[in-house]
């Protein structure tokens, strides 16, 4: 009886439809292997320029190893994530040593293949068009690379609350520097120009 149940389950498994990834979600893999898009490569990572940059400088650091997303990470990936962070920091420094950058992951990425965003904090770009874009880089939807590394070290996995993350994208538009609420994207863009994104010198 038990063996019959097992074989039923096995055949159910076989009938399960394969979850297809929409074609556009694979765009990063194409760009990753396009030598014109690459700005850095070594044995473990490739860095490309984001095709639709949301700031003056916007890079994506990707592992060569096939890691689809944050959920796929294990403790074995800690070193790789540290390497991605270091290379991302070096890329930012090379792009503009005086400009402030943040390095992080989107809680719910839209594109397949793990990618670390390295983005300058001026957000001066025509590709930044809507509230979803803005909130994905300026709320807790954007998770610091170092925070992900710490979580992975501590728990051996990275877990994110999908519903909570989606709510973050609906938050009102708020300046990322002075936190003042802004009514529209054009008003926000005008406002953020008033801030200085140079690193403060100590
Ligand atoms: P995420 O929301 O974290 O999945 O972000 C995906 C990023 O990939 C966005 O910043 C997009 O602008 C960028 N992007 C989308 N398609 C491509 C592509 N074909 N090549 C390079 N970057 C892309
Ligand atoms: Zn402000």
């Amino acid at each position: 009886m038990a063996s019959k149940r097992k074989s039923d389950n096995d055949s159910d498994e076989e009938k399960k439809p394969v979850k297809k990834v929409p074609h556009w979600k694979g765009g990063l893999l194409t760009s990753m292997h396009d030598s014109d898009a690459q700005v850095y490569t070594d044995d473990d990572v490739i860095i490309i320029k984001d095709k639709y940059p949301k700031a003056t400088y916007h890079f994506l650091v990707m592992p060569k190893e096939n890691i689809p997303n944050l959920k796929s990470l294990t403790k074995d990936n800690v070193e790789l994530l540290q390497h991605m962070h270091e290379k991302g920091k070096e890329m930012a420094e090379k792009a503009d040593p005086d400009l402030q950058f943040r390095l992080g992951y989107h809680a719910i990425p839209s594109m397949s293949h793990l990618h670390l965003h390295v983005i300058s904090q001026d957000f001066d770009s025509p590709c930044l068009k809507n509230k979803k874009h803005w909130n994905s880089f300026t709320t807790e939807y954007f998770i610091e690379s170092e925070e992900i590394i710490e979580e992975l070290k501590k728990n051996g996995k990275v877990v994110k609350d999908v519903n909570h993350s989606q709510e973050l994208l609906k938050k009102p538009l708020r300046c990322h520097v002075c936190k003042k609420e802004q009514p529209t994207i054009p008003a926000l863009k005008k406002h953020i120009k008033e801030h200085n994104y140079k690193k403060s010198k100590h």
Side-chain angles (χ1 to χ4, degrees):
M1 193 63 186
S3 68
K4 170 149 191 347
R5 216 176 281 132
K6 185 179 183 303
S7 73
D8 284 346
N9 284 347
D10 286 348
S11 60
D12 282 346
E13 274 299 311
E14 276 161 27
K15 276 186 227 143
K16 248 187 206 165
V18 177
K19 213 170 148 195
K20 273 203 167 171
V21 177
H23 175 69
W24 59 269
K25 278 192 177 249
L28 290 187
L29 276 173
T30 310
S31 293
M32 196 176 149
H33 296 109
D34 170 5
S35 54
D36 289 340
Q38 293 173 1
V39 290
Y40 172 83
T41 174
D42 63 23
D43 287 347
D44 302 306
V45 303
I46 294 178
I47 307 183
I48 61 168
K49 279 190 185 175
D50 193 293
K51 198 170 178 182
Y52 311 100
K54 307 299 185 294
T56 302
Y57 300 104
H58 187 178
F59 304 104
L60 302 173
V61 186
M62 289 178 286
K64 282 188 173 172
E65 190 184 333
N66 180 21
I67 303 178
N69 50 45
L70 292 173
K71 277 192 287 187
S72 327
L73 292 169
T74 71
K75 250 198 172 93
D76 293 344
N77 300 127
V78 167
E79 230 177 274
L80 174 66
L81 258 59
Q82 281 168 334
H83 181 65
M84 288 168 66
H85 183 86
E86 284 314 309
K87 291 299 151 190
K89 251 174 46 183
E90 281 174 27
M91 191 49 65
E93 188 71 16
K94 202 171 149 199
D96 188 337
D98 297 324
L99 205 51
Q100 290 181 41
F101 280 78
R102 283 183 78 201
L103 284 80
Y105 297 87
H106 277 158
I108 313 170
S110 54
M111 304 294 281
S112 190
H113 200 83
L114 188 71
H115 48 281
L116 167 65
H117 291 269
V118 177
I119 186 161
S120 59
Q121 293 300 292
D122 54 281
F123 294 110
D124 184 3
S125 167
C127 294
L128 199 156
K129 292 184 172 147
N130 55 47
K131 183 186 262 193
K132 193 175 162 205
H133 289 158
W134 179 256
N135 283 342
S136 75
F137 287 100
T138 59
T139 66
E140 309 94 272
Y141 192 92
F142 187 86
I143 310 160
E144 292 283 339
S145 159
E146 282 165 327
E147 193 184 318
I148 294 288
I149 294 169
E150 283 316 304
E151 189 175 341
L152 198 56
K153 271 190 196 165
K154 199 168 148 220
N155 304 329
K157 59 184 177 181
V158 177
V159 181
K160 292 295 150 215
D161 178 342
V162 173
N163 289 337
H164 170 67
S165 302
Q166 265 154 356
E167 286 307 307
L168 294 171
L169 296 179
K170 297 177 195 158
K171 279 184 146 188
L173 292 171
R174 218 171 260 290
C175 169
H176 60 313
V177 179
C178 70
K179 310 295 174 202
K180 209 170 146 198
E181 200 171 315
Q182 301 296 322
T184 60
I185 286 281
L188 173 75
K189 287 196 170 198
K190 187 167 176 274
H191 170 87
I192 62 174
K193 275 199 162 58
E194 292 164 18
H195 291 294
N196 172 16
Y197 301 102
K198 297 284 175 196
K199 283 179 190 161
S200 52
K201 299 258 189 281
H202 297 286

Coordinates of all heavy atoms in Angstrom, one line a residue, residues 31-88:
S31 N 22.9 40.1 -21.2 CA 23.8 41.3 -21.1 C 25.1 40.9 -20.4 O 26.2 41.4 -20.7 CB 23.2 42.4 -20.2 OG 22.1 42.9 -20.9
M32 N 25.0 39.9 -19.5 CA 26.2 39.4 -18.7 C 27.2 38.8 -19.7 O 28.4 39.0 -19.4 CB 25.7 38.3 -17.8 CG 26.5 37.9 -16.7 SD 25.5 36.7 -15.8 CE 26.9 35.7 -15.2
H33 N 26.8 38.2 -20.8 CA 27.7 37.6 -21.7 C 28.0 38.4 -22.9 O 28.6 38.0 -23.8 CB 27.2 36.2 -22.1 CG 27.1 35.3 -20.9 ND1 25.9 34.9 -20.3 CD2 28.1 34.7 -20.1 CE1 26.2 34.1 -19.3 NE2 27.5 34.0 -19.1
D34 N 27.5 39.7 -22.8 CA 27.8 40.6 -23.9 C 29.0 41.5 -23.5 O 29.0 42.2 -22.6 CB 26.5 41.5 -24.1 CG 26.8 42.7 -25.0 OD1 27.9 42.8 -25.6 OD2 25.8 43.5 -25.1
S35 N 30.1 41.3 -24.3 CA 31.4 41.9 -23.8 C 31.3 43.4 -23.9 O 32.0 44.1 -23.2 CB 32.5 41.4 -24.7 OG 32.2 41.6 -26.1
D36 N 30.3 44.0 -24.7 CA 30.2 45.4 -24.7 C 29.5 46.0 -23.4 O 29.7 47.1 -23.1 CB 29.3 45.8 -25.9 CG 30.0 45.7 -27.2 OD1 31.3 45.6 -27.2 OD2 29.3 45.5 -28.3
A37 N 28.7 45.1 -22.8 CA 28.0 45.5 -21.6 C 28.9 45.4 -20.3 O 28.8 46.0 -19.3 CB 26.8 44.7 -21.4
Q38 N 29.9 44.5 -20.4 CA 30.8 44.2 -19.3 C 31.7 45.3 -18.9 O 32.3 45.9 -19.9 CB 31.6 42.9 -19.5 CG 30.8 41.6 -19.6 CD 31.7 40.5 -20.0 OE1 32.9 40.6 -20.3 NE2 31.1 39.3 -20.2
V39 N 31.9 45.6 -17.7 CA 32.9 46.6 -17.3 C 34.0 46.0 -16.4 O 35.0 46.6 -16.2 CB 32.3 47.8 -16.6 CG1 31.5 48.7 -17.5 CG2 31.4 47.4 -15.4
Y40 N 33.7 44.8 -15.9 CA 34.7 44.1 -15.1 C 34.4 42.6 -15.1 O 33.2 42.2 -15.1 CB 34.7 44.6 -13.7 CG 35.6 43.7 -12.8 CD1 37.0 44.0 -12.7 CD2 35.1 42.7 -12.0 CE1 37.8 43.2 -11.9 CE2 35.9 41.9 -11.2 CZ 37.3 42.2 -11.2 OH 38.1 41.4 -10.4
T41 N 35.4 41.8 -15.2 CA 35.2 40.3 -15.0 C 36.4 39.7 -14.4 O 37.5 40.1 -14.6 CB 34.8 39.7 -16.4 OG1 34.7 38.3 -16.2 CG2 35.8 40.0 -17.5
D42 N 36.1 38.6 -13.6 CA 37.2 37.8 -13.0 C 36.7 36.4 -13.0 O 35.7 36.1 -13.6 CB 37.7 38.3 -11.6 CG 36.7 38.3 -10.6 OD1 35.7 37.5 -10.7 OD2 36.8 39.0 -9.6
D43 N 37.3 35.5 -12.2 CA 36.9 34.1 -12.2 C 35.5 33.9 -11.7 O 34.8 32.9 -12.0 CB 37.9 33.2 -11.4 CG 39.2 33.1 -12.1 OD1 39.3 33.4 -13.3 OD2 40.2 32.6 -11.4
D44 N 35.1 34.8 -10.8 CA 33.8 34.5 -10.1 C 32.7 35.5 -10.4 O 31.5 35.1 -10.2 CB 34.1 34.6 -8.6 CG 35.2 33.6 -8.2 OD1 35.0 32.4 -8.5 OD2 36.2 34.0 -7.6
V45 N 33.0 36.7 -10.9 CA 31.9 37.7 -11.1 C 32.0 38.4 -12.4 O 33.1 38.5 -13.0 CB 31.9 38.7 -9.9 CG1 31.7 38.1 -8.6 CG2 33.1 39.6 -9.9
I46 N 30.9 39.0 -12.8 CA 30.9 39.9 -14.0 C 30.2 41.1 -13.5 O 29.1 41.0 -12.9 CB 30.1 39.2 -15.2 CG1 30.9 38.0 -15.7 CG2 29.9 40.2 -16.3 CD1 30.2 37.2 -16.8
I47 N 30.7 42.3 -13.9 CA 30.0 43.5 -13.6 C 29.6 44.1 -14.9 O 30.4 44.2 -15.9 CB 30.8 44.5 -12.8 CG1 31.4 43.9 -11.5 CG2 30.0 45.8 -12.4 CD1 32.2 44.8 -10.6
I48 N 28.3 44.5 -15.0 CA 27.8 45.2 -16.2 C 27.2 46.5 -15.8 O 26.9 46.8 -14.6 CB 26.7 44.4 -17.0 CG1 25.5 44.1 -16.1 CG2 27.3 43.1 -17.5 CD1 24.3 43.6 -16.9
K49 N 27.0 47.4 -16.8 CA 26.3 48.6 -16.6 C 24.8 48.3 -16.7 O 24.4 47.5 -17.6 CB 26.6 49.7 -17.7 CG 27.9 50.4 -17.5 CD 28.0 51.5 -18.5 CE 29.4 52.2 -18.3 NZ 29.6 53.2 -19.3
D50 N 24.0 48.8 -15.8 CA 22.6 48.6 -15.9 C 22.1 49.2 -17.2 O 22.4 50.4 -17.5 CB 21.9 49.2 -14.6 CG 20.4 48.8 -14.5 OD1 19.6 49.2 -15.4 OD2 20.1 48.1 -13.5
K51 N 21.3 48.5 -17.9 CA 20.8 49.0 -19.2 C 19.8 50.2 -19.1 O 19.7 51.0 -20.0 CB 20.1 47.8 -19.9 CG 19.9 48.0 -21.4 CD 19.4 46.7 -22.0 CE 19.2 46.8 -23.5 NZ 18.6 45.5 -24.0
Y52 N 19.1 50.3 -18.0 CA 18.2 51.4 -17.7 C 18.6 52.0 -16.4 O 17.9 51.9 -15.4 CB 16.8 50.9 -17.7 CG 16.4 50.0 -18.8 CD1 16.4 48.6 -18.7 CD2 16.2 50.5 -20.1 CE1 16.1 47.8 -19.8 CE2 15.9 49.7 -21.2 CZ 15.9 48.3 -21.0 OH 15.6 47.5 -22.1
P53 N 19.8 52.7 -16.4 CA 20.3 53.2 -15.1 C 19.4 54.2 -14.4 O 18.8 55.0 -15.0 CB 21.6 53.9 -15.5 CG 21.4 54.2 -17.0 CD 20.6 53.1 -17.5
K54 N 19.3 54.0 -13.1 CA 18.4 54.9 -12.3 C 19.2 56.0 -11.6 O 18.6 56.7 -10.8 CB 17.6 54.1 -11.3 CG 16.8 52.9 -11.9 CD 15.8 53.3 -12.9 CE 15.0 52.1 -13.4 NZ 15.6 51.1 -14.2
A55 N 20.5 56.2 -12.0 CA 21.3 57.2 -11.5 C 22.5 57.4 -12.4 O 22.6 56.7 -13.4 CB 21.8 56.8 -10.1
T56 N 23.3 58.4 -12.1 CA 24.5 58.7 -13.0 C 25.3 57.4 -13.2 O 25.7 57.0 -14.3 CB 25.4 59.8 -12.5 OG1 24.5 60.9 -12.3 CG2 26.5 60.1 -13.4
Y57 N 25.6 56.7 -12.1 CA 26.3 55.4 -12.2 C 25.4 54.3 -11.6 O 24.9 54.5 -10.4 CB 27.6 55.5 -11.4 CG 28.5 56.5 -12.0 CD1 28.7 57.7 -11.3 CD2 29.2 56.3 -13.1 CE1 29.6 58.7 -11.8 CE2 30.1 57.3 -13.7 CZ 30.2 58.5 -13.0 OH 31.1 59.5 -13.5
H58 N 25.2 53.3 -12.3 CA 24.4 52.2 -11.9 C 24.9 50.9 -12.5 O 24.8 50.6 -13.7 CB 22.9 52.4 -12.3 CG 22.0 51.4 -11.7 ND1 20.6 51.5 -11.9 CD2 22.1 50.3 -10.9 CE1 20.0 50.5 -11.3 NE2 20.9 49.8 -10.7
F59 N 25.6 50.1 -11.6 CA 26.2 48.8 -12.1 C 25.5 47.6 -11.5 O 24.8 47.8 -10.4 CB 27.7 48.7 -11.7 CG 28.5 49.9 -12.1 CD1 28.9 50.9 -11.2 CD2 28.9 50.0 -13.5 CE1 29.7 52.0 -11.7 CE2 29.7 51.1 -13.9 CZ 30.1 52.1 -13.0
L60 N 25.6 46.5 -12.1 CA 25.1 45.2 -11.5 C 26.2 44.3 -11.4 O 26.9 44.0 -12.4 CB 24.0 44.7 -12.4 CG 22.8 45.6 -12.7 CD1 21.8 45.0 -13.7 CD2 22.0 45.9 -11.4
V61 N 26.5 43.8 -10.2 CA 27.5 42.8 -10.0 C 26.8 41.4 -10.0 O 25.9 41.2 -9.1 CB 28.3 43.0 -8.7 CG1 29.4 42.0 -8.6 CG2 28.7 44.4 -8.6
M62 N 27.3 40.5 -10.8 CA 26.6 39.2 -10.9 C 27.6 38.0 -10.7 O 28.7 38.1 -11.3 CB 25.9 39.0 -12.2 CG 24.7 39.9 -12.2 SD 23.8 39.8 -13.8 CE 24.9 40.8 -14.8
P63 N 27.2 37.0 -10.1 CA 28.1 35.8 -10.0 C 28.1 35.1 -11.3 O 27.1 35.0 -12.0 CB 27.5 34.9 -8.9 CG 26.0 35.3 -8.9 CD 25.9 36.7 -9.4
K64 N 29.2 34.4 -11.7 CA 29.3 33.6 -12.9 C 28.5 32.3 -12.6 O 27.8 31.8 -13.5 CB 30.7 33.3 -13.2 CG 31.4 34.4 -13.9 CD 32.7 34.0 -14.5 CE 33.4 35.1 -15.3 NZ 34.7 34.8 -15.7
E65 N 28.5 31.9 -11.3 CA 27.8 30.7 -10.9 C 26.3 30.9 -11.1 O 25.8 32.1 -10.8 CB 28.1 30.4 -9.5 CG 27.7 29.1 -8.9 CD 28.0 29.1 -7.4 OE1 29.0 29.7 -6.9 OE2 27.3 28.4 -6.7
N66 N 25.6 29.9 -11.4 CA 24.1 30.1 -11.6 C 23.4 30.1 -10.3 O 23.1 29.1 -9.7 CB 23.6 28.9 -12.5 CG 22.1 29.0 -12.7 OD1 21.5 30.1 -12.6 ND2 21.4 27.9 -13.0
I67 N 23.1 31.4 -9.8 CA 22.4 31.6 -8.6 C 21.2 32.5 -9.0 O 21.4 33.6 -9.3 CB 23.2 32.3 -7.5 CG1 24.5 31.4 -7.2 CG2 22.4 32.5 -6.2 CD1 25.4 32.0 -6.2
P68 N 20.0 31.9 -9.0 CA 18.8 32.7 -9.5 C 18.5 33.9 -8.7 O 18.2 35.0 -9.2 CB 17.7 31.7 -9.5 CG 18.3 30.3 -9.4 CD 19.6 30.5 -8.7
N69 N 18.5 33.8 -7.3 CA 18.0 34.9 -6.5 C 18.5 34.7 -5.0 O 19.2 33.8 -4.7 CB 16.5 35.0 -6.6 CG 15.8 33.6 -6.3 OD1 16.2 32.9 -5.4 ND2 14.9 33.3 -7.1
L70 N 18.0 35.7 -4.2 CA 18.4 35.6 -2.8 C 18.0 34.3 -2.1 O 18.7 33.8 -1.2 CB 17.8 36.8 -2.0 CG 18.3 38.2 -2.4 CD1 17.5 39.3 -1.7 CD2 19.8 38.4 -2.0
K71 N 16.8 33.8 -2.5 CA 16.3 32.6 -1.9 C 17.2 31.4 -2.1 O 17.2 30.4 -1.4 CB 14.9 32.3 -2.4 CG 13.8 33.1 -1.7 CD 12.4 32.6 -2.1 CE 12.1 33.0 -3.5 NZ 10.7 32.6 -3.9
S72 N 18.0 31.4 -3.2 CA 18.8 30.3 -3.5 C 20.1 30.3 -2.8 O 20.9 29.3 -2.9 CB 19.2 30.3 -5.0 OG 18.2 30.9 -5.8
L73 N 20.4 31.3 -2.0 CA 21.7 31.4 -1.3 C 21.8 30.5 -0.1 O 20.8 30.2 0.6 CB 21.9 32.9 -0.8 CG 22.1 33.9 -1.9 CD1 22.0 35.3 -1.3 CD2 23.4 33.7 -2.6
T74 N 23.0 30.0 0.1 CA 23.3 29.1 1.3 C 24.6 29.7 1.9 O 25.2 30.6 1.3 CB 23.6 27.7 0.9 OG1 24.8 27.6 0.2 CG2 22.5 27.1 0.0
K75 N 24.9 29.1 3.1 CA 26.1 29.6 3.8 C 27.3 29.5 2.9 O 28.3 30.3 3.1 CB 26.3 28.7 5.0 CG 26.0 29.4 6.3 CD 26.6 28.7 7.5 CE 26.5 29.6 8.8 NZ 25.3 29.4 9.6
D76 N 27.3 28.5 2.0 CA 28.5 28.4 1.1 C 28.7 29.6 0.2 O 29.8 29.7 -0.4 CB 28.3 27.1 0.2 CG 28.3 25.8 1.0 OD1 28.7 25.8 2.1 OD2 27.8 24.8 0.4
N77 N 27.7 30.4 0.1 CA 27.9 31.6 -0.8 C 28.4 32.9 -0.1 O 28.5 33.9 -0.7 CB 26.5 31.9 -1.5 CG 26.0 30.8 -2.3 OD1 24.9 30.3 -2.1 ND2 26.8 30.3 -3.2
V78 N 28.6 32.8 1.2 CA 29.0 34.0 2.0 C 30.3 34.6 1.3 O 30.3 35.9 1.1 CB 29.3 33.7 3.5 CG1 30.0 34.8 4.2 CG2 28.0 33.4 4.2
E79 N 31.3 33.8 1.0 CA 32.5 34.4 0.5 C 32.3 35.0 -0.9 O 32.8 36.1 -1.2 CB 33.5 33.2 0.3 CG 34.9 33.5 0.9 CD 35.8 32.4 0.8 OE1 35.7 31.5 1.7 OE2 36.6 32.3 -0.2
L80 N 31.5 34.4 -1.7 CA 31.1 34.9 -3.0 C 30.4 36.3 -2.9 O 30.8 37.3 -3.6 CB 30.2 34.0 -3.8 CG 29.7 34.5 -5.1 CD1 30.8 34.7 -6.1 CD2 28.6 33.5 -5.7
L81 N 29.5 36.4 -1.9 CA 28.8 37.7 -1.7 C 29.7 38.8 -1.2 O 29.6 39.9 -1.6 CB 27.6 37.5 -0.7 CG 26.3 37.4 -1.4 CD1 26.2 36.2 -2.3 CD2 25.2 37.3 -0.4
Q82 N 30.7 38.4 -0.4 CA 31.7 39.3 0.1 C 32.6 39.8 -1.1 O 32.9 41.0 -1.2 CB 32.6 38.7 1.2 CG 31.9 38.6 2.5 CD 32.6 37.8 3.5 OE1 33.3 36.8 3.2 NE2 32.4 38.0 4.8
H83 N 32.9 38.9 -2.0 CA 33.7 39.2 -3.2 C 32.9 40.2 -4.1 O 33.4 41.2 -4.6 CB 34.1 37.9 -3.9 CG 34.9 38.2 -5.1 ND1 36.2 38.7 -5.0 CD2 34.7 38.0 -6.4 CE1 36.7 38.8 -6.3 NE2 35.8 38.4 -7.1
M84 N 31.6 39.9 -4.3 CA 30.8 40.7 -5.1 C 30.7 42.2 -4.5 O 30.8 43.2 -5.2 CB 29.3 40.2 -5.2 CG 29.2 38.9 -6.0 SD 27.7 38.1 -5.9 CE 26.5 39.2 -6.5
H85 N 30.6 42.2 -3.2 CA 30.6 43.5 -2.4 C 31.9 44.3 -2.7 O 31.8 45.5 -3.0 CB 30.3 43.3 -1.0 CG 30.2 44.5 -0.2 ND1 29.0 45.2 0.0 CD2 31.1 45.3 0.5 CE1 29.2 46.3 0.7 NE2 30.4 46.4 1.0
E86 N 33.0 43.6 -2.5 CA 34.3 44.3 -2.6 C 34.5 44.8 -4.1 O 34.9 45.9 -4.3 CB 35.4 43.3 -2.3 CG 35.6 43.1 -0.8 CD 35.6 44.3 0.0 OE1 36.3 45.3 -0.3 OE2 34.8 44.4 1.0
K87 N 34.1 44.0 -5.1 CA 34.3 44.4 -6.4 C 33.3 45.5 -6.8 O 33.7 46.4 -7.6 CB 34.1 43.2 -7.4 CG 35.2 42.2 -7.3 CD 36.6 42.8 -7.7 CE 37.7 42.1 -7.0 NZ 39.0 42.8 -7.1
G88 N 32.1 45.5 -6.2 CA 31.2 46.6 -6.4 C 31.7 47.9 -5.9 O 31.6 48.9 -6.5

